[in-house]
Amino acid sequence: MGIKSFRFAALAIFLVPLIGYGQSNPLLELGTPVNNETLPQLASESIPYARLRAADREYRSTGRAGSIAAFASLDDGTTYWGLSRDAILHFVNVGERRHLGSWPLDTYRQYAVLWGESPQAAHMFHRPESFKQKYWTVDDPAAFRVGPDVVWSAPPVYARERVGCLARNPLRYGDVNDTGDDELVLFIGNEIQIFSTTEKKVIFAANWVNQDDVGDVANAAIRQAGSEHQLAYRYREQGEDAPQYIAESGRSPAVNDVFPAWRAFAKFYFGDFNEDSRPDLVMWRKLFESRLNSDSEGGFYKKAQGLVHYAFVDGEYVLQETEQEDIVSWLADRDLTWSQGFPRYSECPGEAGELIPEMHDPLLNDPEVLPGFVYGPGEAN
């Protein structure tokens, strides 16, 4: 499916707080996470947790204890959904002690990312068996590539697991598409998945935070005067042409070179945008690349951005060949901004209730991402 790229200076986005489908949609409810703080009490007192662990063990046909990351009841406490630590959903009836089913979270076939979200060093370590196309050849970083295999499998490009800390409570639920049934909204690493409890399948998935970036600690170590880090020599050699932030993919022993880091984020918006009486989902992606030492400004610059439209068809979100100009019109009419998109609020210690800092960082040098941004009339392009 070909999706044209579209560049615009700024636009306004529609979404009620947290995640919404119009003003009447409730907020997402949080499941119960299983972590070091909750585990002692859950292990000794929680019958649902015990039943879900048994279901996980039964599903694997092994004698070892099951591993559950989070769970929730969407009814009066009769049945529970549980997410295992290796991305399998289990469904149990607690009172009847019945295992009602298990579903591996398979790859969503209409995954979409920007072409610019490719490892900077990919041309130096490409393995054909790991990816089915020459994904380092990027003619237009703002164009979308679509399919089940568009997120690279090797070598890895690391995302920050701490962004928003949403994966610490990986299971939430709510009626995100206003159909009357609750869906499970799952944060697994840097991926969001929406699972239909009626269709028993993933109906949407996307990578919501992505990066090729060594991270702040390693970046400082490489840039430090006299550093003996493996990339420090190449960094000093590049001088003013070296990036302020350094790509992770260059640390591979087969590469050992310095490239500009990039960071990418996605926001999601729900509603009947084209007014055809069926739910829509819009994904807005932004890609930022590191500035060079020679730049007068610090941080990143916006390298690319784009939007795609999904319609709810036959129980799942299906990608549409909608012109981005039309998507911009739908969203701009609502007069709201990037900072109101989902995910919105951080759940990290000391940041709870605040906008996710990394997605609204002044160092991105993009006025659209800043809180309080107002999109003036007639400025779209």
Side-chain angles (χ1 to χ4, degrees):
M1 177 178 294
I3 300 179
K4 297 180 180 178
S5 64
F6 181 78
R7 294 177 176 83
F8 48 94
L11 67 97
I13 299 296
F14 166 72
L15 190 71
V16 298
L18 191 59
I19 184 170
Y21 189 97
Q23 293 294 335
S24 63
N25 194 69
L27 301 182
L28 288 178
E29 299 287 343
L30 297 176
T32 299
V34 180
N35 52 41
N36 291 338
E37 295 179 1
T38 63
L39 181 57
Q41 184 173 2
L42 293 174
S44 62
E45 300 178 9
S46 175
I47 295 175
Y49 175 60
R51 289 301 308 147
L52 287 163
R53 291 186 71 200
D56 191 50
R57 183 169 59 248
E58 177 184 329
Y59 175 80
R60 302 169 195 282
S61 299
T62 65
R64 70 177 179 83
S67 179
I68 300 297
F71 61 95
S73 174
L74 278 58
D75 54 27
D76 59 0
T78 301
T79 60
Y80 279 81
W81 288 89
L83 174 67
S84 76
R85 297 196 181 279
D86 51 357
I88 298 169
L89 278 171
H90 303 293
F91 189 37
V92 299
N93 185 306
V94 173
E96 299 178 1
R97 301 174 63 85
R98 286 197 298 135
H99 179 190
L100 302 176
S102 296
W103 297 268
L105 296 176
D106 297 329
T107 302
Y108 179 63
R109 299 197 61 80
Q110 295 193 307
Y111 225 95
V113 297
L114 295 171
W115 268 99
E117 296 178 63
S118 298
Q120 297 283 43
H123 63 290
M124 300 180 70
F125 56 46
H126 176 59
R127 294 195 294 179
E129 71 275 10
S130 301
F131 206 88
K132 297 179 181 179
Q133 50 188 312
K134 295 181 178 181
Y135 61 103
W136 64 85
T137 305
V138 181
D139 296 325
D140 182 0
F144 279 88
R145 61 176 186 263
V146 179
D149 59 353
V150 297
V151 177
W152 45 87
S153 59
V157 174
Y158 300 99
R160 295 181 176 180
E161 293 185 0
R162 74 157 303 279
V163 175
C165 299
L166 301 181
R168 294 185 181 183
N169 198 336
L171 188 152
R172 299 132 200 272
Y173 61 95
D175 186 6
V176 300
N177 52 24
D178 203 34
T179 57
D181 297 304
D182 285 341
E183 288 77 41
L184 300 178
V185 179
L186 309 169
F187 284 90
I188 303 173
N190 61 342
E191 184 173 271
I192 180 175
Q193 297 197 10
I194 301 177
F195 182 88
S196 169
T197 58
T198 55
E199 299 292 331
K200 306 296 192 299
K201 66 178 182 180
V202 174
I203 60 173
F204 176 76
N207 179 297
W208 70 277
V209 55
N210 198 8
Q211 69 180 37
D212 187 358
D213 188 338
V214 298
D216 293 340
V217 174
N219 199 70
I222 295 168
R223 292 166 55 91
Q224 184 178 11
S227 171
E228 296 183 0
H229 189 281
Q230 69 181 81
L231 294 182
Y233 172 77
R234 287 292 296 132
Y235 174 78
R236 289 192 290 268
E237 189 177 58
Q238 291 185 19
E240 289 296 293
D241 293 329
Q244 298 176 22
Y245 295 84
I246 298 164
E248 169 68 31
S249 58
R251 285 210 289 187
S252 167
V255 179
N256 201 37
D257 206 349
V258 170
F259 302 92
W262 57 256
R263 300 174 183 178
F265 306 101
K267 293 274 193 168
F268 306 97
Y269 308 89
F270 297 77
D272 181 11
F273 296 111
N274 56 4
E275 300 180 350
D276 63 354
S277 299
R278 66 181 181 185
D280 298 304
L281 186 158
V282 167
M283 178 174 67
W284 185 10
R285 300 191 73 86
K286 285 177 174 284
L287 171 65
F288 302 92
E289 186 169 280
S290 172
R291 293 181 180 273
L292 305 181
N293 287 334
S294 58
D295 290 338
S296 58
E297 290 187 79
F300 293 75
Y301 72 95
K302 183 169 60 180
K303 184 174 184 177
Q305 63 180 345
L307 299 101
V308 285
H309 165 224
Y310 295 80
F312 196 66
V313 180
D314 296 330
E316 68 179 332
Y317 285 101
V318 178
L319 192 61
Q320 306 295 298
E321 294 190 9
T322 305
E323 294 291 336
Q324 293 204 25
E325 292 88 344
D326 293 334
I327 304 174
V328 171
S329 295
W330 297 342
L331 303 179
D333 287 345
R334 274 72 178 184
D335 294 326
L336 299 171
T337 63
W338 165 270
S339 66
Q340 293 162 314
F342 178 77
R344 186 179 187 187
Y345 294 117
S346 175
E347 296 175 5
C348 295
E351 297 176 0
E354 299 177 5
L355 294 175
I356 297 172
E358 293 84 355
M359 302 182 82
H360 306 89
D361 192 342
L363 283 175
L364 298 176
N365 293 296
D366 178 3
E368 293 172 3
V369 307
L370 300 179
F373 173 79
V374 176
Y375 186 53
E379 292 181 327
N381 56 61

